[in-house]
Amino acid sequence: MTDAVGRDPEAVSKFVEGFAAQLVEAGMQRMPARVFAALLSSDAGTMTSAELGEQLRISPAAVSGAVRYLAQTHMVSREREPGSRRERYRVHGDQWYEALTNREAVLQRWEIALREGVDSLGPDTPAGRRMAETLAFFEFVETEVAAMMERWRVHRRQLFGD
């Protein structure tokens, strides 16, 4: 049995659940992982709550909670259907870029807190040195991520245009 474009729905479902399981192993919550994998594997990259619920066999409340999490982490966006109150949820081709880029603000907040920790604990104490090393690590990561993201933009343009 195949769908309108010749895919086996069972194989697609198996992929969605398998990829979701990998995301869960990496730390993502189970339901957002399933919703994300379903959106990622859809040709349009968009689905309604009803479509997600039907495909994944989950309740509207489960879809809502998963989408809320995914929107907060910048992995999906919400869009209103023109002339309707119904929302569609979209995954973009550059969602990994967006999700990683939006982590920079989190890193910056951690750096501020760590600087305060170093000042509070004293830079010459064991705890202060540990805090300073953690701060140095996050500063290094932030710099490297920024440079890597610029290289990705160039590489993506070469591969896919835009």
Side-chain angles (χ1 to χ4, degrees):
M1 177 181 209
T2 59
D3 65 11
V5 291
R7 282 186 289 246
D8 175 3
E10 191 172 313
V12 172
S13 179
K14 186 176 179 180
F15 164 76
V16 167
E17 296 304 329
F19 187 58
Q22 294 298 314
L23 293 171
V24 168
E25 267 189 51
M28 187 183 282
Q29 298 169 10
R30 183 172 177 268
M31 206 54 67
R34 292 181 71 215
V35 167
F36 181 75
L39 284 167
L40 190 63
S41 67
S42 71
D43 282 334
T46 67
M47 296 175 84
T48 64
S49 179
E51 291 166 338
L52 286 162
E54 182 180 330
Q55 179 177 336
L56 299 172
R57 297 183 193 104
I58 59 176
S59 71
V63 171
S64 177
V67 168
R68 187 178 325 104
Y69 171 86
L70 292 167
Q72 287 171 347
T73 58
H74 304 281
M75 294 184 74
V76 303
S77 60
R78 298 170 189 251
E79 301 173 351
R80 285 263 184 225
E81 287 188 355
S84 169
R85 291 177 43 184
R86 192 165 56 171
E87 289 185 327
R88 294 191 73 74
Y89 308 113
R90 175 178 299 280
V91 65
H92 298 276
D94 63 350
Q95 78 277 350
W96 298 112
Y97 172 86
E98 289 298 324
L100 194 55
T101 299
N102 286 305
R103 294 287 185 246
E104 285 183 70
V106 172
L107 285 177
Q108 289 170 354
R109 287 194 306 269
W110 290 353
E111 289 170 13
I112 290 167
L114 288 165
R115 276 187 200 91
E116 289 174 7
V118 171
D119 290 344
S120 297
L121 297 166
D124 297 325
T125 66
R129 281 193 299 277
R130 198 169 40 253
M131 206 66 62
E133 184 176 344
T134 302
L135 171 60
F137 172 76
F138 284 126
E139 289 171 336
F140 174 81
V141 166
E142 184 179 10
T143 301
E144 290 299 307
V145 166
M148 180 182 66
M149 297 315 279
E150 181 54 37
R151 289 191 308 274
W152 165 247
R153 283 191 290 275
V154 170
H155 183 71
R156 181 175 186 261
R157 224 177 355 264
Q158 291 170 345
L159 289 175
F160 302 106
D162 302 340

